[in-house]
Amino acid sequence: MPSFTTHLLSVTTGRTETVADLTADCEQFLTRVAHGGDGLLNVFVPHATAGIAILETGAGSDDDLLTALQTLLPADDRWRHRHGSPGHGRDHVLPALVPPHATLPVIGGRLELGTWQSVCLVELRVSNLDNCGASLRPESVCLFSRV
């Protein structure tokens, strides 16, 4: 019978809008738990201001995504959700465009992505500080595998 395994990643996104590649973390997780089996990998970020995207990285597509999101969701005072930094309301709209989850096939214990695809955390919020405002707060990313 297939087992269900969970792993929590901690990702510090920093002070700039970010597309953070999680592919290596996903592959390392599957190496530990998949044992060559077939199944699904679920990636979920339990935050109201972040999303999970499958896209090419390193050739400019990650920057293109951030540029497109800046155009669609400008950081200005139009947003009704106004706490935090100026334009913060747009950060809460992000998960409607870049969902906070992805379900990916695992075949033979390996993540089945296209040649140029990567699993990425997308974070627009640049005020990612802890409650004291003193240090960067990491995002939690949950990896769930049923193999």
Side-chain angles (χ1 to χ4, degrees), residues 18-24 52-66 113-122:
T18 302
V19 174
D21 192 340
L22 306 176
T23 310
I52 300 294
I54 309 301
L55 76 154
E56 179 181 8
T57 59
S61 296
D62 37 355
D63 291 330
D64 289 341
L65 174 61
L66 292 175
L113 292 172
T115 301
W116 306 113
Q117 289 180 317
S118 297
V119 182
C120 298
L121 172 70
V122 179

Side-chain angles (χ1 to χ4, degrees), residues 81-98:
H81 184 108
R82 293 186 184 268
H83 77 83
S85 60
H88 176 63
R90 68 144 184 180
D91 303 337
H92 289 272
V93 176
L94 173 70
L97 301 174
V98 180

